[in-house]
Amino acid sequence: MLLITYGTRPEYIKVLPVIEEMKKRGMLYKTFFTGQHTDLLGLAEKPSHILSISDGPNRLDSIVQSILNKEEIFDDITNVMVQGDTSSAFATALAAFHRRIPVSHLEAGLRTYDKYSPYPEEFNRAAISALAEIHLCPTHTAAKNLKKEGRKNIFVVGNTVLDHLNDVKVSTSNKVIVTLHRREKLDQIQIWFEAVNNLAQKHKHLDFILPIHPNPEVKKHANLLPDVRVVDPMGHADFIRELASCAFIITDSGGVQEEAAFLKKPCIVCRDFTERVEGLDTFSLLCKEPRQLQGLVEHWATKVDLSDKKCPYGNGQASQYICNLINKI
Ligand code: UDP
């Protein structure tokens, strides 16, 4: 029996198309929700196992420790699938490895080669690659990274996040969608929020919307955004509708960069590095400093036309390829 695990919103969004495709084909699986984002508890898919993460002085330690102590999830499990690069995914892969259960890694091979950016994800995904048997890569660049590291059983399948977007209608408007919350950015989040608010003040004809991340370290600075429409995190379908109808996007998220490219929306990426390098300079530009935002908006995001460009992150069929592969293997 295959165990599919997830613990955070982006992981759930990315494994869901695989779960739905497996269900359609009558394939057997169990699911394990590691509880990293507790607000996911009202999931559409009821998990076979739910973990409650113990409290401790260091949240990342607690996640890893709680998962390593959860023995019963591996009863009757012959294969494990983890997605991406969270501490939940790393800990579940490690626990499977300790039991010699083969691990398939979804969204394998992304790298920045800076272990503190994104943190702790860069370490987590490299560690998962070291123990996984099957590497399901979103792009050829990711596959090349793994080949360089000497990995075997590498398959390029595209990113499953795009499987949600096949029937989405794309239009345009004066809306600008902003998401900013990454852990390695938290000490500067105030400066980024101030820069976004300055933009909103200067460009009154644009409607800046920021679904605020539930992390209290992000939420407590919402008062720095009086000229921005700060809203609660949206359900994925609602959020995609907003992306599909916006003018452009400002984000530090990984998944949003992929979704933006599929929907052909310019994306300003507020990071020092991105592992989504394939879309750089076409679909996205890096914004390393808050003071660069203004120029990138005025000279690029409001001018560029991406309608004839091809999305480099997949074609929205990844979960079909993955299920074909699982059946074959
Ligand atoms: N997302 C969502 N609602 C929101 C904001 C984002 O459903 O209000 C989705 C978005 O479409 C993308 C994912 O959450 O698929 C991105 O999550 P996040 O930025 O937390 O993580 P990352 O992609 O960087 O791992």
Side-chain angles (χ1 to χ4, degrees), residues 3 31 39 54 72 84 105 138 140 234-236 248 269 277 297 303:
L3 181 72
T31 51
D39 51 326
S54 58
E72 67 278 14
H105 186 199
H140 289 282
M234 296 180 201
H236 190 231
F248 63 91
V269 180
V277 288
V297 166
K303 300 214 162 30

Side-chain angles (χ1 to χ4, degrees), residues 165-212:
L165 307 184
N166 289 316
D167 299 322
V168 173
K169 288 206 169 42
V170 179
S171 59
T172 194
S173 69
N174 67 339
K175 286 188 264 187
V176 179
I177 307 300
V178 186
T179 77
L180 290 172
H181 70 272
R182 296 210 64 82
R183 193 182 287 266
E184 68 273 10
K185 213 169 220 54
L186 288 182
D187 56 340
Q188 301 162 30
I189 197 85
Q190 288 160 269
I191 313 171
W192 282 98
F193 277 6
E194 278 162 8
V196 170
N197 198 65
N198 287 342
L199 274 179
Q201 240 171 17
K202 187 153 184 232
H203 300 274
K204 293 267 186 231
H205 61 292
L206 293 174
D207 180 12
F208 284 75
I209 304 172
L210 185 145
I212 193 118

Side-chain angles (χ1 to χ4, degrees), residues 2-136:
L2 172 68
L3 181 72
I4 304 178
T5 94
Y6 50 85
T8 63
R9 174 180 67 185
E11 276 173 297
Y12 182 61
I13 290 171
K14 288 179 174 179
V15 298
L16 193 57
V18 179
I19 292 176
E20 282 173 348
E21 186 62 28
M22 290 186 72
K23 224 190 288 175
K24 225 192 291 170
R25 298 180 185 210
M27 294 164 73
L28 295 180
Y29 63 89
K30 282 189 176 177
T31 51
F32 170 40
F33 172 49
T34 64
Q36 192 167 336
H37 283 176
T38 43
D39 51 326
L40 272 177
L41 275 168
L43 297 171
E45 266 294 309
K46 194 163 166 20
S48 319
H49 302 278
I50 300 180
L51 179 74
S52 159
I53 295 170
S54 58
D55 281 336
N58 182 297
R59 171 87 177 146
L60 298 177
D61 287 348
S62 301
I63 293 168
V64 175
Q65 216 164 30
S66 303
I67 293 171
L68 289 179
N69 287 333
K70 184 96 175 158
E71 181 61 43
E72 67 278 14
I73 57 165
F74 295 106
D75 290 349
D76 73 3
I77 296 302
T78 53
N79 289 275
V80 167
M81 180 182 282
V82 300
Q83 196 287 329
D85 47 24
T86 61
S87 296
S88 287
F90 162 64
T92 312
L94 181 63
F97 175 68
H98 287 162
R99 291 159 183 80
R100 294 197 173 238
I101 298 173
V103 173
S104 307
H105 186 199
L106 191 57
E107 200 182 54
L110 274 62
R111 298 286 185 271
T112 60
Y113 298 105
D114 176 339
K115 66 174 174 287
Y116 293 109
S117 180
Y119 172 82
E121 289 85 356
E122 177 70 9
F123 164 78
N124 288 337
R125 58 199 176 201
I128 297 170
S129 296
L131 55 79
E133 295 291 332
I134 294 177
H135 310 270
L136 302 165

